[in-house]
Amino acid sequence: MGGGLGHDGGVAERKAANLTWHEGQVGRGEREALLGQAGAAVWLTGLSGSGKSTLAVAAEAALLRRGRLAYVLDGDNIRHGLNSNLGFSPEDRSENIRRIGEVAKLFVDCGVLVFASFISPYRADRQAARALFAPGDFIEVYVQAELDICEQRDPKGLYKKARAGEIPEFTGISAPYEEPERPELVLNTGRQSVEESVGALISHLETGGYLSC
């Protein structure tokens, strides 16, 4: 695609010219056949403290125990490197998600099951990420938990700081979160244990044929 979609629906400017896509000698099908699985981007979205990272890490470990290749792209980890120059304005949030979508697409082409664990609060940004993928390659998972539950957990102390005005543009407090309208899967971590949620996620992958190639 020519760049990426921003929060305003526009297309990101491509600053490099005279580019040609180079095809390799090994295709995605051959990589998937080697791994015995189908690559997919499992996009976990939800409020801070909803359990996205916890589920992604647990699902990755469960899949590796079954001989499957999976990898987690975590919001905080990515901002330590690839997206360290981005803040939390709507524009920077959109660029954050655009970059992650492109990285996840590369993992999928490798035949890997990649878990993208990001708040990704805007529907337009998640839709732009989905548009990068072929049908079936993008699985939106809404990690659902009520705001009060997320605040009670507050593993990083962020809600307390946001309530005190120390963190501007904090999702759920001073910035919006737009719930998914048609996610492939909803995991309610306020009612389900980590084990139950991971089981439901892996069951979805099994039913979809991602683990039986």
Side-chain angles (χ1 to χ4, degrees):
M1 296 184 67
L5 297 179
H7 180 52
D8 61 358
V11 177
E13 177 186 1
R14 185 190 296 279
K15 296 184 178 180
N18 304 311
L19 301 175
T20 301
W21 185 270
H22 288 271
E23 297 291 346
Q25 296 184 15
V26 179
R28 173 179 169 181
E30 294 171 89
R31 289 187 282 267
E32 290 183 331
L34 177 66
L35 295 172
Q37 64 185 46
V42 182
W43 197 280
L44 297 105
T45 175
L47 293 171
S48 177
S50 61
K52 301 180 300 300
S53 295
T54 298
L55 294 183
V57 168
E60 176 192 43
L63 286 169
L64 261 66
R65 287 195 294 269
R66 296 175 55 162
R68 305 299 183 176
L69 185 57
Y71 191 80
V72 175
L73 296 174
D74 179 76
D76 279 2
N77 293 354
I78 292 297
R79 284 182 176 273
H80 272 91
L82 177 66
N83 292 348
S84 61
N85 65 322
L86 298 177
F88 291 90
S89 68
E91 295 76 19
D92 279 6
R93 287 179 185 270
S94 295
E95 176 61 12
N96 184 54
I97 297 307
R98 186 193 72 80
R99 293 183 193 179
I100 296 310
E102 294 286 1
V103 171
K105 183 180 178 181
L106 295 175
F107 273 86
V108 172
D109 188 53
C110 289
V112 175
L113 290 161
V114 56
F115 294 93
S117 172
F118 297 84
I119 293 173
S120 45
Y122 301 121
R123 293 190 190 105
D125 293 341
R126 296 194 299 267
Q127 184 56 40
R130 181 188 291 273
L132 295 171
F133 297 84
D137 285 353
F138 186 93
I139 303 169
E140 186 177 34
V141 180
Y142 179 22
V143 183
Q144 185 181 52
E146 298 300 325
L147 178 60
D148 62 337
I149 292 177
C150 294
E151 286 200 68
Q152 289 169 22
R153 293 171 176 167
D154 203 10
K156 305 171 188 176
L158 299 179
Y159 282 100
K160 183 177 180 180
K161 291 181 179 179
R163 291 290 188 188
E166 298 175 21
I167 303 178
E169 300 180 291
F170 189 80
T171 302
I173 303 299
S174 52
Y177 178 77
E178 299 172 358
E179 294 186 353
E181 295 179 321
R182 290 180 295 276
E184 278 75 13
L185 183 64
V186 177
L187 300 175
N188 190 316
T189 62
R191 302 174 184 172
Q192 296 173 302
S193 66
V194 173
E195 293 74 19
E196 289 171 332
S197 294
V198 169
L201 179 50
I202 292 180
S203 177
H204 183 88
L205 294 174
E206 289 175 330
T207 301
Y210 298 96
L211 305 180
S212 59
C213 295

